[in-house]
Amino acid sequence: MIRTILVPLDGSDVAEQGLAAACRIAAESGATLLLVRAVLYFGVEEGVRSEETHDLIEAREYLGRVQRDLERQGLMAVTEILPVEPVRAILFAAEAHAVDLISICTHGRSGFEHALLGSVAEAVLQRSAAPILLTRARAHAAPPTVAPYRRIVVPLDGTAFAETALSYLRDQGIGRAASLLLLRVVPTESEYFTYASLPFMHGVPEAFELTGRQTEAHQLEGEAYLRALGTARLADGTWHPRVVIGEAGEAILDVAGHERAELI
């Protein structure tokens, strides 16, 4: 079971969206929220030390307010301030407290903006041994809630690795009252052949007819797989199978948005 969830906070609305996601997990699992703030502190020069002390006091007061708000909602929370840069603070706290989950918000951008704004989340994702719950930042986020998850999308590609997501949800007690949408994405027809294969066929129409039949076969295979998996692993829960055609990343996000999924 999840006992401790680490939530890095820097005082911004973006970071607090990671806290909102953690609150829902904590409400379902009974976990303690570990609120971590990184404040650089060298204490060398007098002028610099005064500014650093101000930042330290501000961080302590901010975490105290957040902690009290969470406790009023019936959640358990502790705070920690570390005098290092954010990535090291998160990784150190995760190891020191043997946390079971890190909940962090990412700007969800790409290219140069991602390099500047998503570097902390990306570095933690690459280097942390603990599972990570990523929340994509939104301009207008909903306030934190302790309501249990009701709609969860579980992407499955037929591998045992992907199926560990179902085991994780069950073992950690997440989504016990939720409806799970088991999703299989079948690649588009064009991904089933290359132009090098066309000379062996009578023509392009025949090639597309063949790939169409292949796509239909993969759809039927996917539906059978999802139904068998749901019956075997989720007999005591609510679940629905769904097979769609498209590129996996885009298809998963499209389905999640259409279904108003709260967790992927």
Side-chain angles (χ1 to χ4, degrees):
M1 292 291 292
I2 298 176
R3 297 177 299 276
T4 306
I5 304 174
L6 189 156
V7 185
L9 296 172
D10 59 10
S12 68
D13 292 338
V14 170
E16 289 185 6
Q17 291 182 44
L19 174 61
C23 286
R24 303 190 75 168
I25 300 291
E28 290 206 51
S29 65
T32 296
L33 296 167
L34 172 61
L35 313 179
V36 173
R37 179 80 177 261
V39 177
L40 291 179
Y41 190 90
F42 298 99
V44 180
E45 300 180 11
E46 183 65 32
V48 175
R49 187 164 64 247
S50 177
E51 183 177 343
E52 290 174 339
T53 300
H54 175 272
D55 292 342
L56 180 60
I57 293 173
E58 186 277 331
R60 185 186 302 126
E61 292 176 346
Y62 166 73
L63 290 180
R65 290 194 301 271
V66 175
Q67 182 182 25
R68 290 190 293 273
D69 288 342
L70 294 172
E71 290 173 346
R72 279 194 288 268
Q73 298 181 63
L75 299 173
M76 294 179 290
V78 295
T79 66
E80 184 162 345
I81 300 174
L82 294 171
V84 292
E85 50 85 22
V87 173
R88 290 177 61 195
I90 295 167
L91 295 174
F92 175 82
E95 288 288 338
H97 295 275
V99 304
D100 303 291
L101 182 68
I102 299 173
S103 180
I104 191 169
C105 188
T106 174
H107 289 76
R109 303 183 183 184
S110 59
F112 186 63
E113 289 183 272
H114 174 69
L116 291 176
L117 299 175
S119 58
V120 172
E122 184 173 9
V124 173
L125 182 64
Q126 292 176 348
R127 296 162 59 184
S128 172
I132 297 176
L133 174 64
L134 287 176
T135 300
R136 184 174 182 176
R138 297 184 179 183
H140 304 287
T145 177
V146 296
Y149 286 107
R150 294 296 182 184
R151 293 178 294 277
I152 299 176
V153 171
V154 184
L156 297 159
D157 59 8
T159 64
F161 178 76
E163 291 174 11
T164 59
L166 287 177
S167 301
Y168 185 82
L169 291 174
R170 181 193 60 206
D171 295 343
Q172 306 304 326
I174 301 171
R176 284 171 291 191
S179 174
L180 303 186
L181 177 62
L182 309 185
L183 178 63
R184 180 74 176 266
V185 180
V186 174
T188 55
E189 295 179 359
S190 60
E191 296 182 43
Y192 285 119
F193 71 91
T194 63
Y195 286 105
S197 65
L198 293 180
F200 298 97
M201 303 177 184
H202 296 292
V204 174
E206 288 80 1
F208 278 102
E209 181 180 351
L210 174 61
T211 55
R213 292 197 299 269
Q214 289 177 324
T215 298
E216 183 178 359
H218 280 281
Q219 284 182 281
L220 295 175
E221 178 186 347
E223 290 175 1
Y225 161 72
L226 294 178
R227 292 188 182 280
L229 184 65
T231 300
R233 305 278 290 275
L234 302 169
D236 56 347
T238 302
W239 58 275
H240 307 279
R242 176 81 59 83
V243 178
V244 298
I245 301 173
E247 189 277 324
E250 293 181 0
I252 291 169
L253 292 177
D254 287 345
V255 171
H258 183 266
E259 297 292 332
R260 297 183 179 180
E262 301 161 315
L263 183 67
I264 303 176

